[in-house]
Amino acid sequence: MLEIKNLHVKLEEEDKRILKGVDLSIEPGSVHAIMGPNGSGKSTLSYVLSGRDGYEVTEGAATLDGHDLLELEPEERAALGLFLAFQYPVEIPGVGNMTFLRTAVNSQRKARGEEELSAADFLKLIRAKAKALKIDADMLKRPVNVGFSGGEKKRNEILQMAMLEPKMCVLDETDSGLDVDAMKLVAEGVNALRSQGRSFLVITHYQRLLDHIKPDVVHIMADGRIVKSGGPELALEVEHNGYADILAEAV
Amino acid sequence: MALTQPKLDATEARLAGLTLPESRALASNRAEALTRLRAMGLPGRRDEYWKYTRPDTLVAPEAAPAAVFDTYETPVFGEVDRVKIVFVDGVYDAEASDNLDLAGVSIERLADAEGHDIHWSKDLYGVLEARGQDPVDRPLAALNTAFATDGVLIHVTGKAAKPVSLIYLHADANSDAILHHVVRLDAGADLTLLENGPAAARFNKVLEVDVADGAAFHHVRAQGRDHERRAATHIFARLGAESVFKSFTLTANGVLTRNECVLELTGDNAVAHVAGACVGDGDFHHDDTVFITHDALNCESRQVFKKVLRNGATGVFQGKILVKAGAQKTDGYQISQSLLLDGDSQFLAKPELEIYADDVVCSHGSTSGAIDEEGLFYLRSRGIEEGPATDLLTLAFLAEAIEEIEDETLAAEILARLEAWLARRRAG
């Protein structure tokens, strides 16, 4: 599904290297987690994969089902099935959540040569998915993320994911700013989407999210590299001993 | 103060090409306007009020030609049940217009009314314009009062059964039109007035509105098409107690548009909203000049202007709230914002507050900004292409102005126009 090979990335504006040779291979249907201390490059990885400006890839490759992601515009990556759940979902005053989602769904369908959803079909679909995430009609009508609580914003991210049905979902610190109940709700939303053909890359600081979204593989990232990979037990090790031991061991 | 020689020359040069129309009922109104005009002279580049907008082409003896574009656009307000009054290059077209019978409303052509010895419009024609000349000169409006060749006089006695729609068609590339309309709303009356169309190569229009106590006037206007056209328009309105005046203007295209709106709140608890959305591309120059005078208790006024500019387009906003002594509990709000889609475009704003009462709430703000990159990336990351994503953000920027239109059908009409305009620009 997602193949990242020796990915080196620096900031476009300054001579600062952030990713220094990331290798990662995610097979269909699996859930990988990336953990790591602040500043290790986790969020940069998610931004580079989704095509945000401001980064320069100096070496390496990233492909989704064989398509070179780094050559594509953000919207083309999305149409291929890549989805980034933002750590800080953006507020867009004046654009209704419904209009936004319908435009997004239909843009992707159009890009893939599929027929656009009618207003009625779209409404039916979004109502069902919103209900499962406890998102009420009012939230759907309001401008995108404007005045949403932290939990509402993250649930709105998961709703978008559910509507767009991507193949490869990258969750960037989706647990940040959430209380336990909100985190459970979000995790349930994600778990409901787990399937044979869909993979997840869950980026997080803390192990607690991984109690709810059980990963197949856990990677530890530090200083722009993946320094250790293992099973779910690796996350528990971090939880108990912190990163210091693992990092010392890796060096 | 005596006029400077260049100003005097320019004024006389313009007047040389004009003749006072025959009039009985309004002869003195026209003559007084001409006297006013001669006293102030036509606007020149050195006038403070014309600092951001060059008046040269608006005052020149001849109108510069403006090509007439094929009308590939769906006419605006097409879905609205209304009484249509059509002007072609500033001349009333009876055949294209609807029957003017409308319950609660009497509509007459200006020339017909002037044929009478006495007409109700004598108390308003040029009268509200004259009131609006203080403290700032508006010579193009005085010129209009003196020389207007056509227009309608609308007397509203009750609740109008449907909107009155003034449609300005442009057929002759050299047309130079001067229209003057007067609307009088009796106490408790209610009218929605629509205006649309490019009108002429050069268009000078005055709309005077007298809103009596408890009356409501809604105005929605769409100025579009025919890129080379030029227009100077004025609205003068006087608001009685408990009355409502709401005006919205959409401007697209037009090499030069100056829309002045001069409102006077003379009765307690009156409400006045003026809003505008404009989208400019290339050598587009658009100027909104607003002057609202609060002269009564507990009145509310709002000015909401949004401009989207690209490829060197210029937007101007001069907005003033004047709160006279004694106009306590005034609630005044003014916002003007531009969205600059590139580095070539500019927005020039001059917000002013002048307050002589001590118990008022007045706020104003003016901003210029580019498209929000974070928002754009967010939309693109969800699969929306850059063009449509930019359009979505552009419409979101304009939303606050469009929301000023109370009627949902009319708001939808305006939104549809904007969407079409944006899509056409994108198509190239």
Side-chain angles (χ1 to χ4, degrees):
Chain A
M1 171 89 47
L2 180 69
E3 294 284 341
I4 301 173
K5 287 199 178 117
N6 191 30
L7 190 65
H8 289 254
V9 171
K10 67 181 269 293
L11 287 182
E12 214 168 51
E13 300 278 306
E14 51 187 301
D15 200 23
K16 188 177 175 190
R17 295 169 64 214
I18 300 185
L19 299 184
K20 302 168 182 173
V22 174
D23 286 287
L24 186 63
S25 176
I26 300 178
E27 41 308 327
S30 66
V31 175
H32 286 227
I34 293 188
M35 301 179 74
N38 286 326
S40 56
K42 305 186 302 292
S43 287
T44 297
L45 178 63
S46 72
Y47 285 142
V48 170
L49 289 175
S50 56
R52 189 190 178 111
D53 281 345
Y55 302 98
E56 188 186 326
V57 176
T58 52
E59 206 181 328
T63 59
L64 182 65
D65 286 341
H67 298 278
D68 181 359
L69 280 180
L70 304 177
E71 285 295 304
L72 300 174
E73 297 293 340
E75 57 269 27
E76 294 171 323
R77 303 180 196 204
L80 274 181
L82 180 75
F83 181 91
L84 169 65
F86 283 54
Q87 182 179 0
Y88 303 109
V90 181
E91 296 187 5
I92 309 184
V95 178
N97 216 6
M98 283 281 236
T99 309
F100 160 58
L101 266 166
R102 197 170 153 219
T103 310
V105 167
N106 281 334
S107 299
Q108 293 203 13
R109 293 179 81 99
K110 203 171 137 197
R112 292 194 290 259
E114 298 163 14
E115 204 167 313
E116 295 185 21
L117 274 188
S118 72
D121 287 345
F122 174 81
L123 208 59
K124 220 183 283 173
L125 194 63
I126 196 165
R127 280 198 182 133
K129 307 235 183 205
K131 199 174 166 196
L133 285 159
K134 297 204 169 86
I135 289 175
D136 61 21
D138 181 55
M139 247 176 89
L140 291 176
K141 276 190 215 142
R142 270 149 55 188
V144 179
N145 294 324
V146 177
F148 286 27
S149 70
E152 285 174 333
K153 282 182 182 169
K154 296 299 170 79
R155 274 187 278 149
N156 200 30
E157 292 292 289
I158 306 305
L159 174 66
Q160 292 167 38
M161 194 191 283
M163 289 301 295
L164 294 167
E165 301 185 321
K167 287 189 282 201
M168 180 70 233
C169 309
V170 181
L171 280 65
D172 185 12
E173 302 201 17
T174 295
D175 51 340
S176 71
L178 294 188
D179 60 32
V180 178
D181 292 335
M183 187 165 67
K184 272 188 189 160
L185 203 59
V186 164
E188 278 166 24
V190 171
N191 288 330
L193 291 169
R194 288 180 76 156
S195 76
Q196 283 288 310
R198 183 172 294 133
S199 310
F200 290 85
L201 179 60
V202 182
I203 295 172
T204 181
H205 269 298
Y206 304 106
Q207 189 266 339
R208 58 176 195 170
L209 179 65
L210 304 180
D211 283 343
H212 302 286
I213 304 173
K214 300 253 186 275
D216 300 306
V217 185
V218 174
H219 308 277
I220 306 295
M221 193 164 182
D223 192 26
R225 277 188 209 91
I226 287 172
V227 294
K228 190 168 185 180
S229 301
E233 70 286 351
L234 192 53
L236 290 169
E237 202 182 317
V238 169
E239 181 73 4
H240 291 134
N241 307 327
Y243 289 111
D245 286 359
I246 295 170
L247 297 185
E249 192 185 314
V251 172
Chain B
M1 201 175 72
L3 299 184
T4 60
Q5 197 59 43
K7 191 167 251 213
L8 192 62
D9 292 346
T11 305
E12 290 308 323
R14 175 71 177 119
L15 292 178
L18 292 165
T19 333
L20 275 182
E22 286 279 317
S23 181
R24 288 162 73 180
L26 302 177
S28 63
N29 303 52
R30 288 182 182 273
E32 284 162 20
L34 180 55
T35 307
R36 272 198 296 283
L37 172 62
R38 282 214 154 97
M40 49 193 159
L42 283 168
R45 290 182 63 183
R46 307 182 70 156
D47 294 351
E48 176 66 20
Y49 217 47
W50 291 84
K51 188 174 174 180
Y52 302 127
T53 299
R54 292 184 59 160
D56 316 32
T57 52
L58 296 173
V59 305
E62 300 285 330
V68 178
F69 282 68
D70 282 339
T71 171
Y72 46 82
E73 298 174 7
T74 327
V76 70
F77 307 133
E79 299 297 310
V80 182
D81 184 22
R82 60 209 159 122
V83 175
K84 295 195 282 285
I85 302 175
V86 179
F87 294 87
V88 181
D89 293 310
V91 181
Y92 177 70
D93 182 339
E95 240 168 69
S97 301
D98 288 337
N99 181 322
L100 301 184
D101 293 338
L102 178 62
V105 185
S106 114
I107 305 170
E108 278 173 281
R109 194 175 167 188
L110 174 62
D112 294 343
E114 287 191 277
H116 297 107
D117 287 328
I118 300 172
H119 196 267
W120 62 262
S121 61
K122 185 166 179 58
D123 295 338
L124 293 174
Y125 185 91
V127 173
L128 298 184
E129 172 256 298
R131 290 177 72 97
Q133 297 290 355
D134 179 38
V136 188
D137 290 350
R138 304 172 199 282
L140 288 168
L143 178 137
N144 179 301
T145 298
F147 297 103
T149 48
D150 218 330
V152 285
L153 307 174
I154 303 175
H155 183 188
V156 191
T157 51
K159 183 168 170 44
K162 44 181 153 177
V164 171
S165 176
L166 306 177
I167 299 167
Y168 306 122
L169 302 181
H170 177 205
D172 176 352
N174 295 298
S175 56
D176 189 10
I178 307 179
L179 289 184
H180 194 120
H181 311 301
V182 176
V183 179
R184 170 178 158 195
L185 293 113
D186 289 351
D190 189 329
L191 177 76
T192 296
L193 182 73
L194 309 176
E195 292 183 282
N196 72 285
R202 182 168 70 176
F203 189 36
N204 180 332
K205 193 206 64 186
V206 166
L207 171 65
E208 291 175 295
V209 188
D210 190 39
V211 193
D213 295 354
F217 178 73
H218 292 266
H219 176 231
V220 180
R221 161 166 72 161
Q223 299 169 308
R225 232 192 65 199
D226 295 5
H227 185 68
E228 292 156 321
R229 67 172 178 79
R230 291 176 166 83
T233 79
H234 290 81
I235 297 172
F236 295 95
R238 178 169 60 189
L239 281 74
E242 317 273 336
S243 70
V244 173
F245 173 100
K246 292 191 180 178
S247 172
F248 172 90
T249 301
L250 166 68
T251 308
N253 305 328
V255 73
L256 176 59
T257 305
R258 162 103 160 193
N259 292 327
E260 295 193 26
C261 184
V262 185
L263 308 180
E264 197 182 356
L265 288 79
T266 59
D268 297 346
N269 303 308
V271 172
H273 292 194
V274 200
C278 89
V279 284
D281 197 346
D283 57 350
F284 168 101
H285 183 108
H286 183 274
D287 176 336
D288 280 301
T289 291
V290 181
F291 197 113
I292 299 184
T293 305
H294 282 261
D295 196 12
L297 291 174
N298 203 32
C299 292
E300 170 194 316
S301 73
R302 274 173 75 81
Q303 302 173 40
V304 180
F305 288 87
K306 301 265 187 166
K307 296 170 195 273
V308 176
L309 306 166
R310 52 185 259 180
N311 289 327
T314 300
V316 175
F317 175 76
Q318 305 189 98
K320 177 154 182 169
I321 306 174
L322 169 63
V323 181
K324 290 199 171 175
Q328 302 293 11
K329 304 286 177 195
T330 287
D331 180 359
Y333 173 74
Q334 181 196 86
I335 182 95
S336 63
Q337 296 182 305
S338 74
L339 175 62
L340 304 175
L341 292 179
D342 54 43
D344 300 333
S345 304
Q346 60 172 343
F347 177 53
L348 305 161
K350 188 172 148 196
E352 286 181 282
L353 298 178
E354 193 176 331
I355 302 172
Y356 297 99
D358 58 6
D359 184 14
V360 303
V361 179
C362 281
S363 59
H364 70 93
S366 185
T367 64
S368 261
I371 209 99
D372 174 23
E373 290 295 330
E374 291 281 317
L376 188 62
F377 174 64
Y378 191 67
L379 295 175
R380 294 179 71 190
S381 78
R382 297 303 181 245
I384 305 172
E385 288 175 51
E386 188 171 4
T390 304
D391 287 0
L392 259 183
L393 294 174
T394 303
L395 290 172
F397 166 78
L398 294 169
E400 189 188 355
I402 299 166
E403 281 162 12
E404 288 293 318
I405 305 171
E406 261 181 35
D407 184 284
E408 282 181 16
T409 312
L410 297 176
E413 288 268 352
I414 294 297
L415 192 61
R417 302 304 299 227
L418 279 166
E419 283 170 348
W421 189 89
L422 290 168
R424 266 204 313 279
R425 296 287 133 169
R426 197 143 39 71

